[in-house]
Amino acid sequence: LSESDIESFLSKANEIEQFVNSDEFPIASAAQLDKLMKDTELVMFAFNTRKREHEERLKVFPKTKEYFKGMKSAIESFRVGNSNIPLEKINELSAKVEEISAWFDDMSLKQENLPLNQNPILYVSSLFEKIEPIERLTKKISAIQSGKQETKSQQSKSEKNNSAQEGNGGKTIENEL
């Protein structure tokens, strides 16, 4: 907790104590007491959120550094190991990995320099959102590498559309709209 968090929490606790010990307490409304309790809960929620995020970062960040190393190694193996992968796809993946890896290095360094009592600037969920495009590109390249341009779900959708077009004289609902 930061000094301001501690002061805020103690202030709310003192406010509750004074309220409970005052002459007004027996006639106080439940809403007044409820508001004081909610204010106190907000301070604790902020603390617990920072704590939980910090614990997640301790687990995820080291694995993320390993992930980027592994991706860079995989990109090199794509470049030298398989000629049926278009170079532009490999370069696109490489650029995306470099971009997000640099972003992660910068943000994690800034995060490491922040005191634990401050709200994080790099959330684990943000990191996962940033990595998602890399995962999509990797799946596309893996499909090309294995000779499968389309996934099974994409093939079944294509087959359904083709059979629907054949059965309707080449018309689909999408075409008619």
Side-chain angles (χ1 to χ4, degrees), residues 7-170:
E7 288 175 17
S8 177
F9 185 74
L10 289 175
S11 170
K12 290 298 174 190
N14 287 334
E15 201 174 321
I16 291 170
E17 182 180 22
Q18 289 172 1
F19 181 71
V20 169
N21 292 329
S22 73
D23 293 334
E24 297 174 24
F25 183 67
I27 56 172
S29 70
Q32 290 172 311
L33 187 57
D34 191 44
K35 182 189 178 321
L36 289 172
M37 293 303 291
K38 284 185 180 180
D39 289 347
T40 305
E41 288 172 2
L42 286 174
V43 172
M44 289 308 298
F45 177 77
F47 168 73
N48 287 330
T49 301
R50 283 195 302 265
K51 181 181 176 210
R52 188 173 39 256
E53 186 67 31
H54 174 70
E55 290 168 351
E56 285 185 50
R57 283 192 309 268
L58 288 175
K59 294 175 190 171
V60 172
F61 284 11
K63 292 177 184 177
T64 302
K65 291 177 182 183
E66 291 301 315
Y67 170 81
F68 285 123
K69 285 180 188 175
M71 286 304 300
K72 290 174 183 177
S73 174
I75 290 167
E76 287 309 309
S77 70
F78 286 149
R79 286 196 172 140
V80 295
N82 199 330
S83 60
N84 66 336
I85 300 173
L87 186 58
E88 64 270 4
K89 287 286 183 200
I90 295 170
N91 290 340
E92 181 182 359
L93 178 61
S94 180
K96 189 58 84 174
V97 167
E98 289 299 324
E99 171 195 339
I100 295 171
S101 177
W103 170 84
F104 173 72
D105 289 342
D106 180 53
M107 293 299 286
S108 62
L109 182 63
K110 288 177 183 176
Q111 182 63 54
E112 287 173 14
N113 292 327
L114 277 181
L116 293 177
N117 61 14
Q118 290 189 1
N119 287 331
I121 58 169
L122 177 57
Y123 289 88
V124 172
S125 60
S126 300
L127 175 62
F128 289 151
E129 287 174 13
K130 283 282 202 177
I131 288 176
E132 182 59 31
I134 293 174
E135 292 296 309
R136 282 194 305 269
L137 280 170
T138 303
K139 286 179 184 175
K140 286 179 185 177
I141 289 174
S142 294
I144 293 169
Q145 186 179 25
S146 65
K148 301 174 189 171
Q149 291 283 350
E150 296 181 278
T151 65
K152 289 182 182 180
S153 64
Q154 289 171 331
Q155 287 175 345
S156 65
K157 286 179 186 176
S158 297
E159 290 170 4
K160 285 179 186 177
N161 285 341
N162 289 341
S163 64
Q165 286 177 344
E166 291 169 7
N168 293 327

